[in-house]
């Protein structure tokens, strides 16, 4: 009797939501071909994913040319693309007219 167990890892890879159309420069090979991926590595037993390596998927910038992946936190140029929040919420409008001061005419 021979039992054959196969253990390994499997990485679920998909395009990160909100970055589907974002292509950036690879910092390894320099090609403008890197995409933003969500990657989640699982421990597999008999080809069935059973235990995730991490609680959440990684957000990574991956290059299909040189197969180089790096964490998106090292690429602030990528994350800043979609976060152009206008900074006009503070310090504008001047002083509001004081309330409750009704001019008295005699
Ligand atoms: Zn590359």
């Amino acid at each position: 009797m021979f039992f054959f167990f196969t253990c390994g890892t499997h990485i679920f890879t998909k395009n990160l939501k909100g970055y589907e159309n974002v292509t950036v420069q690879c910092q390894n090979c320099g090609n403008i071909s890197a995409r933003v991926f969500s990657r989640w590595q699982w421990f597999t037993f008999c080809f069935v994913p059973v235990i995730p390596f991490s609680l959440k998927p990684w957000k990574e910038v991956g290059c299909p040319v040189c197969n180089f992946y790096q964490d998106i936190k090292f690429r602030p140029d990528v994350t800043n693309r979609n976060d152009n929040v206008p900074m006009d919420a503070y310090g504008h409008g001047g002083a509001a007219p004081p309330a409750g001061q009704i001019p008295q005419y005699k």
Side-chain angles (χ1 to χ4, degrees):
M1 203 65 183
F2 177 71
F3 291 99
F4 182 69
F5 296 111
T6 302
C7 299
T9 59
H10 181 83
I11 299 176
F12 295 94
T13 304
K14 64 179 181 180
N15 287 323
L16 187 61
K17 195 172 188 293
Y19 292 89
E20 290 91 345
N21 298 318
V22 175
T23 303
V24 295
Q25 185 176 23
C26 172
Q27 290 189 340
N28 189 47
C29 67
N31 284 301
I32 310 293
S33 58
R35 306 294 299 271
V36 183
F37 295 103
S38 166
R39 280 160 41 100
W40 201 359
Q41 189 172 22
W42 282 64
F43 179 77
T44 59
F45 181 72
C46 293
F47 303 104
V48 178
V50 286
I51 303 170
F53 273 62
S54 57
L55 292 176
K56 294 187 299 184
W58 308 317
K59 295 175 181 177
E60 292 188 317
V61 177
C63 173
V65 176
C66 62
N67 212 27
F68 174 76
Y69 285 87
Q70 67 181 150
D71 197 295
I72 197 171
K73 69 185 177 186
F74 299 120
R75 297 297 301 265
D77 58 319
V78 177
T79 54
N80 286 338
R81 281 169 178 256
N82 290 355
D83 295 335
N84 291 321
V85 179
M87 298 177 67
D88 60 356
Y90 303 102
H92 290 273
Q101 290 189 4
I102 302 171
Q104 299 286 325
Y105 297 106
K106 292 182 179 178

